[in-house]
């Protein structure tokens, strides 16, 4: 029979977590959740499966400690990305409505490498509004690289938090240090954020891919 304490210890090892608090942060769960797993001897199968997909670790090893730690088959070829039930406005702006993980997207590591996408810290969210049309439309799924959270002079399409609201816009750093936030749709206003107001701006990450449902 699998022991939850042993499984948790193996999860800590894979996530390089020195304690349960760090493990909770890595897994996106509460500290009380891990305590319940231990006290009730509950195997966190969801977190185990996500870790196996994300890290390319053998599911059998995570659950039992038997066999090779690293998966050599198809599992190691895929990466699990959390898709959040969040909408970033491509229009007039919307507050973050939720931060719950809606589903996990399984992406090919080979495809990510071919597209030049860093798999270190990817998340998925949705676009809302029409200000980025025709590039990004309402309801599009956005893949965000959160390691790219510094805007340069070359600019790009980013998800930003400005004054508590979430937006997807073209963002570029100007020569004088201001940040230009622009829309692809000419019917929507663009803004420039001064150096003195940058504390009101948080760069969530760069949009590295988007997809939409075929009509």
């Amino acid at each position: 029979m699998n022991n939850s304490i042993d499984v948790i210890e193996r999860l800590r090892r894979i996530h390089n977590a020195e304690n349960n608090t760090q493990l909770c942060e890595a897994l996106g769960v509460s500290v009380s959740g891990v305590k319940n797993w231990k006290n009730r001897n509950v195997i966190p199968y969801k977190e185990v499966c996500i870790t196996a997909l994300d890290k390319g670790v053998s599911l059998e090893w995570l659950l039992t400690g038997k066999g090779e730690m690293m998966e050599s088959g198809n599992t190691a070829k895929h990466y699990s990305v959390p898709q959040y039930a969040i909408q970033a406005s491509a229009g007039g702006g919307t507050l973050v409505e939720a931060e719950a993980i809606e589903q996990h997207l399984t992406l090919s590591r080979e495809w990510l490498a071919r597209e030049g996408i860093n798999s270190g810290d990817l998340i998925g969210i949705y676009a809302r509004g029409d200000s980025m049309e025709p590039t990004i439309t309402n309801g599009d799924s956005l893949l965000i690289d959160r390691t790219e959270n510094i805007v340069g002079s070359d600019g790009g399409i980013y998800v930003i938090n400005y004054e508590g609201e979430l937006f997807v816009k073209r963002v570029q750093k100007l020569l004088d240090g201001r940040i230009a936030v622009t829309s692809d749709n000419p019917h929507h206003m663009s803004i420039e954020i001064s150096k003195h107001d940058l504390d009101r701006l948080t760069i969530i990450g760069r949009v590295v891919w988007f997809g939409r449902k075929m009509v």
Side-chain angles (χ1 to χ4, degrees):
M1 180 177 178
N2 298 333
N3 184 301
S4 65
I5 294 178
D6 293 337
V7 172
I8 291 169
E9 286 302 311
R10 285 189 284 273
L11 285 171
R12 281 177 54 177
R13 177 178 173 183
I14 293 302
H15 288 282
N16 295 317
E18 297 181 0
N19 50 52
N20 288 338
T21 300
Q22 291 183 3
L23 178 62
C24 292
E25 293 175 355
L27 296 176
V29 300
S30 65
V31 175
S32 61
V34 173
K35 289 181 179 178
N36 286 334
W37 296 342
K38 287 186 173 182
N39 295 336
R40 300 178 183 179
N41 195 29
V42 173
I43 305 297
Y45 287 105
K46 176 183 175 181
E47 287 72 17
V48 167
C49 291
I50 291 172
T51 298
L53 284 170
D54 189 6
K55 303 294 185 180
V57 178
S58 165
L59 190 59
E60 180 183 11
W61 180 85
L62 276 174
L63 289 172
T64 68
K66 298 179 181 179
E68 296 293 328
M69 181 174 70
M70 301 307 295
E71 180 63 65
S72 59
N74 291 333
T75 301
K77 297 180 181 179
H78 295 85
Y79 180 81
S80 179
V81 176
Q83 175 91 29
Y84 287 88
I86 298 175
Q87 292 179 321
S89 177
T94 181
L95 291 172
V96 176
E97 297 174 344
E99 293 186 2
I101 296 177
E102 182 180 66
Q103 61 181 332
H104 281 84
L105 309 175
T106 301
L107 303 178
S108 164
R109 291 182 184 272
E110 181 181 354
W111 177 81
L112 290 170
R114 188 169 62 247
E115 296 295 319
I117 298 174
N118 178 13
S119 62
D121 192 4
L122 296 173
I123 62 169
I125 65 172
Y126 299 98
R128 179 180 180 179
D130 64 355
S131 75
M132 287 300 290
E133 290 185 353
T135 309
I136 294 174
T137 62
N138 186 53
D140 282 356
S141 293
L142 309 177
L143 188 62
I144 314 301
D145 182 356
R146 292 195 293 187
T147 67
E148 294 197 41
N149 56 8
I150 298 177
V151 176
S153 59
D154 55 340
I157 299 177
Y158 289 83
V159 172
I160 62 174
N161 186 311
Y162 184 59
E163 295 187 328
E165 298 188 67
L166 212 60
F167 300 88
V168 53
K169 300 288 184 182
R170 290 195 184 273
V171 184
Q172 183 180 21
K173 185 176 183 180
L174 304 179
L175 293 177
D176 60 3
R178 289 175 301 159
I179 298 294
V181 180
T182 60
S183 304
D184 282 5
N185 187 334
H187 298 294
H188 284 259
M189 292 180 59
S190 299
I191 65 170
E192 292 182 356
I193 303 173
S194 71
K195 293 186 292 184
H196 305 293
D197 291 328
L198 291 182
D199 58 341
R200 298 155 64 186
L201 172 70
T202 301
I203 307 297
I204 305 300
R206 185 168 187 158
V207 179
V208 292
W209 180 89
F210 68 88
R212 66 176 61 112
K213 182 179 178 180
M214 295 294 292
V215 178

